[in-house]
Amino acid sequence: MKLRNWGFTLIEMLGVFTILAIIMIISLPAITKNLKKNEVNKYEAFIKSAELAAETYIESHRESYPSLNNVGGSATVTLELLKRENLIDDIPKRPDGSTISTATTIRAYVNNDKIITYTYQE
């Protein structure tokens, strides 16, 4: 009766593991870079959504901000207020891992052409 060996040899297994290790070593910097870039993109998207939330809040409570009727007028809205009004969800961390204060403000400013711009201010 003839025996069949269906398994892999130790040399074949070591070769496969070596190839996998080389692939991981080569791809690890790219994966790390993409993870960091993702954190930056998430933070920038939060800033834009906070500015839009501030615009929504100010426009729906325009009577509370009479200074925005004049050129050069300004008003501020805090992240805490926007969160309380359910205009923003969770406040993410900065890309460096530090937390964002709920006292951070978004400033609305009336330009010379009477267009209101919203600026995130830390």
Side-chain angles (χ1 to χ4, degrees):
M1 183 178 209
K2 188 175 181 181
L3 291 175
R4 291 187 172 177
N5 291 333
W6 293 98
F8 295 105
T9 65
L10 181 60
I11 297 296
E12 291 170 332
M13 293 298 290
L14 286 175
V16 169
F17 285 131
T18 303
I19 292 170
L20 288 175
I22 291 170
I23 291 171
M24 286 177 56
I25 289 171
I26 292 171
S27 64
L28 193 61
I31 292 170
T32 305
K33 181 181 175 184
N34 282 339
L35 289 174
K36 287 180 183 178
K37 185 177 179 182
N38 187 28
E39 289 297 317
V40 170
N41 290 342
K42 182 178 177 182
Y43 178 66
E44 289 173 354
F46 169 75
I47 290 173
K48 289 179 183 177
S49 69
E51 289 173 349
L52 287 173
E55 181 178 4
T56 301
Y57 180 80
I58 287 175
E59 290 302 321
S60 64
H61 296 85
R62 190 60 185 256
E63 67 279 352
S64 300
Y65 299 99
S67 63
L68 294 178
N69 295 328
N70 304 321
V71 172
S74 67
T76 58
V77 177
T78 64
L79 293 180
E80 181 179 6
L81 175 65
L82 297 176
K83 190 169 172 81
R84 189 172 55 237
E85 293 288 324
N86 293 321
L87 293 171
I88 58 172
D89 294 326
D90 294 329
I91 299 173
K93 294 188 179 227
R94 290 185 189 94
D96 64 3
S98 60
T99 57
I100 300 171
S101 170
T102 56
T104 301
T105 60
I106 291 93
R107 179 177 183 248
Y109 178 77
V110 181
N111 294 328
N112 290 335
D113 52 4
K114 294 193 176 186
I115 294 176
I116 300 174
T117 56
Y118 296 86
T119 309
Y120 181 85
Q121 298 179 321
E122 292 194 60

